[in-house]
Amino acid sequence: MSTDGTNYLDALVTKLKSAAAPFRDTLNELHAKYKDVREGAVADYIPELAKADPNAFGISVMSVDGQVVEVGDHQQLFSLQSISKPFVFGLALEDHGREHVLSKVSVEPTGEAFNSIVLDETTNRPFNPLVNAGAIATADLVEGKNFSERISRMLAMFSRYFGRTLYVDNSIFMSERATGHRNRAIGHLMLNFGMIKDRVEETLELYFQQCSLLVNCHDLAVLGATLANGGVNPITGQRAIKAEYVKDVLSIMASCGMYDYAGEWAFRVGLPAKSGVGGGIVAVVPGKFGIGIYSPPLDAKGNSVRGVLACRELSERFGLHVFEAGHDGPSLEDEFRPRRG
Ligand code: DON
């Protein structure tokens, strides 16, 4: 087959794809608009994270019936980091129920940085399961008769969400473990107050592993679409979390998911979401879509700069805000449907 033949086929496939979903043109336009944004810096407090390509940028959007539209570096692997936290919270809820979990971690937004060494002065609980302190307390609640059973249960939970086996990036895990002194300090502070069991190093191993899981944008869209779909993975049909706890995970993502940007995010974007220092953002349009974005440069609050910009524009353009009552622009459902005739 001549190169002309190949180019022709590629062009045809692209045309067919684009014809299939006008939303692909919209995502390409959004990607082109923000790919040259140069604000932010790649995280480097975990040395291995500093190797990420600052120009990488991918967007994936999946509907609850499993259709996906994605552009840019949507297959580029990166570490899940804090995006892991709401899902381990979900597993802890399944293992212990709400009241016991809330006796160990509160559900209050802090307005503090994600790695702040502060606990609630009255109850000595970490403020919520999405700051590092709360995530370590939640990891400590993952049941299992020993460490390997706890890890396999955590990995099995993520595989239900992602619909595939996930792997830990060992170099990121080792880098995180070697430099995780602040998290160790948080762990021992919570041990001091009885918020976690006397197995700080074991629980930190579990926490560092959940943060070092390798995913891509497509995976994040599946993760978000699974929550949007009431806890059932739209590709595999497998239930990833008991239906009764889906609202708990979405609530904590809505109130605490974007750290000390959570208030402005709730105001401007209005979607449950979670960011990670690896450069990922997952957002959920309940009942409709999962959005996955990857771009390593972070703002001062630890959120992906291009990710926040792209999510804001998607929410404004398609009226995705959960409290939207007056959107007269295009609907994302219509854009997702293939063009007719
Ligand atoms: O423990 C840490 O600091 C990292 N493993 C996770 C922090 C993170 O992703 C914060 N998110 N924006």
Side-chain angles (χ1 to χ4, degrees), residues 45-46 81-82 85 114 132 176 183 207 211 259 275-277 302:
Y45 72 99
I46 300 167
Q81 296 299 334
S82 287
K85 297 171 176 174
F114 66 82
N132 287 10
E176 177 118 30
N183 285 328
Y207 171 73
C211 290
Y259 300 117
S275 63
V277 285

Side-chain angles (χ1 to χ4, degrees), residues 108-327:
E108 281 305 325
T110 66
E112 302 271 348
F114 66 82
N115 55 1
S116 50
I117 310 184
V118 283
L119 301 175
D120 179 309
E121 276 163 16
T122 334
T123 64
N124 295 318
R125 292 176 301 170
F127 283 98
N128 69 66
L130 305 191
V131 290
N132 287 10
I136 294 165
T138 310
D140 193 59
L141 290 169
V142 173
E143 278 300 288
K145 61 182 180 301
N146 52 38
F147 178 61
S148 74
E149 188 177 296
R150 295 174 69 211
I151 279 282
S152 354
R153 292 191 65 248
M154 187 262 286
L155 292 174
M157 174 269 290
F158 278 117
S159 293
R160 291 194 293 274
Y161 276 102
F162 289 107
R164 69 176 182 85
T165 305
L166 290 190
Y167 299 94
V168 169
D169 180 308
N170 208 38
S171 45
I172 291 178
F173 167 68
M174 301 296 276
S175 182
E176 177 118 30
R177 186 163 68 176
T179 57
H181 310 305
R182 194 180 175 93
N183 285 328
R184 269 187 199 90
I186 293 172
H188 285 282
L189 180 68
M190 293 194 291
L191 173 60
N192 176 65
F193 289 113
M195 284 302 129
I196 63 173
K197 294 187 180 138
D198 189 1
R199 53 180 184 188
V200 176
E201 270 316 309
E202 181 181 307
T203 288
L204 282 172
E205 292 279 303
L206 195 145
Y207 171 73
F208 293 147
Q209 294 217 16
Q210 70 184 66
C211 290
S212 307
L213 290 170
L214 279 179
V215 296
N216 60 29
C217 246
H218 179 88
D219 291 321
L220 293 189
V222 178
L223 188 64
T226 298
L227 283 178
N229 196 33
V232 175
N233 181 310
I235 308 295
T236 63
Q238 188 180 16
R239 176 161 286 287
I241 181 172
K242 288 182 184 162
E244 67 185 284
Y245 294 125
V246 171
K247 69 176 183 302
D248 301 80
V249 173
L250 288 175
S251 306
I252 209 72
M253 288 169 74
S255 59
C256 307
M258 302 299 280
Y259 300 117
D260 39 346
Y261 183 67
E264 185 148 354
W265 177 273
F267 185 82
R268 293 185 181 282
V269 181
L271 297 174
K274 185 72 204 82
S275 63
V277 285
I281 292 181
V282 61
V284 180
V285 185
K288 298 179 178 165
F289 297 96
I291 300 169
I293 300 185
Y294 171 56
S295 172
L298 309 176
D299 60 26
K301 305 195 186 230
N303 302 316
S304 164
V305 172
R306 297 189 191 105
V308 169
L309 291 167
C311 269
R312 268 179 65 174
E313 178 141 359
L314 279 173
S315 180
E316 284 156 11
R317 200 186 278 203
F318 296 105
L320 303 179
H321 195 296
V322 288
F323 303 134
E324 180 62 64
H327 178 66

